[in-house]
Amino acid sequence: MQYIKRDLERVVLQASEEYPAVIITGSRQIGKTTMLQKLMQGTTRNYVTLDDLTERALAQNDPEMFLQLHKPPILIDEVQYAPQLFTYIKIHADRNQRPGDFWMTGSQSFKLMKLAGESLVGRACILHMCTMSQNELYGNGENLPFTLNQDALQMRIAARTPADTPAIYERIFRGSMPALTSGHVSSRNLFYSSYLQTYIERDIRELDGDIESVEFLRFITAVACRTGQMVNYADIGNDMGGMRSEKVQEWLGLLEKSDIIFYLHPYSNNLLKRTVSKPKLYFYDTGLVAYLTRWSSPETLEAGALNGAILENYTVSEILKTYFNAGEQPLLNYYRDNDAKEIDIVMESDGSLHPMEIKKTSNPGTELTRPYKLLDKGSVPRGKGAILCMKDNLSAIDSENYVVPIWGI
């Protein structure tokens, strides 16, 4: 299997020069361990995984002995299984003051951030890794956070492989899991079937041992049908045969904690009082959405009822990846008021709000930018806007609004 260089590599190496510990979070099978093992080739760094039950037991019951046997510099895989280690990692870091001694991975971001926040404040750099990005798969330039700066947009476009509408839906349908994009696994359906079984039996059972596998698979499917929509606990509960809203909320929390889904929260400030309060829900990997919702090909997906929502999901997740892969946190929201006027993305950058609409069109009209004026009622100035669409090149609606091809994100 050919290794595909990851954008996060540069950030990991930089953080390893400055922090005693570097923690990589993200869902299973997205390449965290593969990337770090690639980076440690030719070094003296050791490796141990807490998927090994013997090593896990030692780390839990005698963490001091564990670190004596597995001396830094070290890569500890799935470190969330042994929270007892964190106190001793702190002691070692304070005693030795050596950057890069500990590389750690984990597939439960919330748990790891909590553990690191309690024990490794100022000693650990926490980085979030996603599935493969467009830049990693189809680009030839350095990853930079997506912005609406004209020079930056032109650089992005020049460094990307163009894609027409069918090619974009092929990317969406196939998904961005490394095993699929690298060609290591040929059967998409077999991969996602195995992935879900492993995910439910390991991560979900770790978070809640009382969950019944078939029921939780039905739940994920019900959620996937609503990607790109505002969260409605009652609707999901109805699909589950009358599941209580509290339980729906709890199970959505499990999906978020294990990095399967994420939210965009509504933008508001003290001058925008009529905005809605519900977040919109997205998946990190659109291939998983297409599999769960039973689309048989990119062509049927492109022509089907989910085509707009899954395109929005893909676009939002790709913007998100450009930030995470640079080690940064994006300021992304969406706008919707009580009159159902909506803006797909509101990005805050350099003290301005940048509105963006996502459309499956190659020839967007000026009417798509009219809702952007709604942001002028707020206290933060409005900057450049954009239509993110199927255009084959970088263009503009007017002097304030770009037209950006989705393949160029």
Side-chain angles (χ1 to χ4, degrees), residues 62-77:
D62 195 342
E64 188 172 14
M65 175 58 70
F66 178 90
L67 291 179
Q68 288 177 10
L69 291 173
H70 302 291
K71 295 184 181 299
I74 189 170
L75 164 55
I76 305 173
D77 213 1

Side-chain angles (χ1 to χ4, degrees), residues 21-23 25 79 83 86-87 90 104 109-126:
V22 178
I23 302 174
T25 71
V79 71
F86 280 78
T87 297
K90 173 183 179 294
M104 294 173 273
S109 297
F110 281 60
K111 185 174 183 179
L112 276 175
M113 291 175 70
K114 183 175 185 294
L115 289 169
E118 292 171 349
S119 302
L120 297 177
V121 176
R123 303 168 183 86
C125 176
I126 303 174

Side-chain angles (χ1 to χ4, degrees), residues 16 19 27 32 36 58 60 73 76 131 138 145 161 279 313 317 345 358 366 370:
S16 298
Y19 294 89
S27 63
K32 301 185 298 293
L36 293 177
L58 178 61
Q60 291 172 341
I76 305 173
T131 55
Y138 312 109
T161 302
N313 190 148
S317 66
I345 301 173
I358 302 164
T366 57
R370 289 172 189 160

Side-chain angles (χ1 to χ4, degrees), residues 199-356:
Y199 164 66
I200 293 172
E201 293 300 324
R202 297 181 70 176
D203 285 355
I204 293 301
R205 290 288 177 84
E206 173 76 14
L207 293 167
D208 188 339
D210 295 328
I211 284 180
E212 203 276 318
S213 299
V214 174
E215 187 181 20
F216 198 79
L217 181 58
R218 284 179 53 224
F219 178 78
I220 301 177
T221 302
V223 174
C225 291
R226 291 165 172 79
T227 190
Q229 297 181 20
M230 289 193 298
V231 177
N232 188 313
Y233 301 130
D235 280 356
I236 297 173
N238 288 338
D239 276 5
M240 293 298 294
M243 180 182 284
R244 293 180 297 106
S245 292
E246 292 79 9
K247 189 172 184 180
V248 171
Q249 190 171 2
E250 177 187 336
W251 282 17
L252 283 172
L254 297 179
L255 290 175
E256 185 183 15
K257 288 175 182 176
S258 49
D259 289 305
I260 299 296
I261 65 170
F262 65 94
Y263 298 107
L264 281 194
H265 293 274
Y267 178 80
S268 64
N269 62 39
N270 58 332
L271 298 180
L272 298 171
K273 300 183 183 301
R274 289 173 49 78
T275 53
V276 299
S277 59
K278 294 180 179 179
K280 290 176 75 172
L281 179 149
Y282 301 93
F283 281 65
Y284 281 106
D285 179 43
T286 55
L288 180 59
V289 177
Y291 172 79
L292 287 167
T293 51
R294 301 294 187 264
W295 296 98
S296 60
S297 69
E299 292 77 20
T300 57
L301 177 61
E302 181 187 343
L306 198 64
N307 75 84
I310 204 166
L311 178 65
E312 180 179 328
N313 190 148
Y314 180 77
T315 306
V316 173
S317 66
E318 285 299 322
I319 292 175
L320 201 69
K321 290 174 190 178
T322 70
Y323 282 85
F324 285 146
N325 288 346
E328 298 183 18
Q329 290 291 326
L331 292 174
L332 297 181
N333 298 89
Y334 81 98
Y335 176 92
R336 184 181 175 91
D337 61 26
N338 293 332
D339 297 322
K341 295 175 181 176
E342 187 168 347
I343 302 170
D344 290 334
I345 301 173
V346 178
M347 180 173 68
E348 188 167 354
S349 176
D350 295 326
S352 297
L353 299 179
H354 302 278
M356 290 176 269

Side-chain angles (χ1 to χ4, degrees), residues 65-230:
M65 175 58 70
F66 178 90
L67 291 179
Q68 288 177 10
L69 291 173
H70 302 291
K71 295 184 181 299
I74 189 170
L75 164 55
I76 305 173
D77 213 1
E78 301 298 346
V79 71
Q80 77 273 1
Y81 289 130
Q84 298 86 349
L85 279 174
F86 280 78
T87 297
Y88 290 87
I89 291 172
K90 173 183 179 294
I91 293 170
H92 182 281
D94 290 347
R95 181 181 298 154
N96 294 279
Q97 298 291 316
R98 280 198 306 265
D101 263 0
F102 296 94
W103 286 358
M104 294 173 273
T105 75
S107 50
Q108 295 175 11
S109 297
F110 281 60
K111 185 174 183 179
L112 276 175
M113 291 175 70
K114 183 175 185 294
L115 289 169
E118 292 171 349
S119 302
L120 297 177
V121 176
R123 303 168 183 86
C125 176
I126 303 174
L127 301 172
H128 189 274
M129 191 171 184
C130 299
T131 55
M132 303 292 291
S133 70
Q134 286 195 139
N135 187 56
E136 290 167 331
L137 293 171
Y138 312 109
N140 57 14
E142 179 184 349
N143 172 70
L144 294 171
F146 180 80
T147 68
L148 294 183
N149 173 276
Q150 182 175 330
D151 291 339
L153 286 172
Q154 290 173 328
M155 289 176 57
R156 300 185 87 87
I157 297 298
R160 294 288 190 279
T161 302
D164 59 13
T165 301
I168 288 291
Y169 277 91
E170 167 64 32
R171 296 179 184 182
I172 291 171
F173 179 81
R174 182 176 59 173
S176 49
M177 299 295 282
L180 291 170
T181 57
S182 67
H184 178 67
V185 173
S186 58
S187 173
R188 168 187 168 276
N189 288 348
L190 184 59
F191 171 81
Y192 280 116
S193 174
S194 302
Y195 177 83
L196 286 167
Q197 182 178 348
T198 302
Y199 164 66
I200 293 172
E201 293 300 324
R202 297 181 70 176
D203 285 355
I204 293 301
R205 290 288 177 84
E206 173 76 14
L207 293 167
D208 188 339
D210 295 328
I211 284 180
E212 203 276 318
S213 299
V214 174
E215 187 181 20
F216 198 79
L217 181 58
R218 284 179 53 224
F219 178 78
I220 301 177
T221 302
V223 174
C225 291
R226 291 165 172 79
T227 190
Q229 297 181 20
M230 289 193 298

Side-chain angles (χ1 to χ4, degrees), residues 157 390-395 403-405 407:
I157 297 298
M390 299 302 190
K391 188 81 172 177
D392 59 1
N393 62 290
L394 179 65
S395 183
V403 177
V404 181
W407 57 260

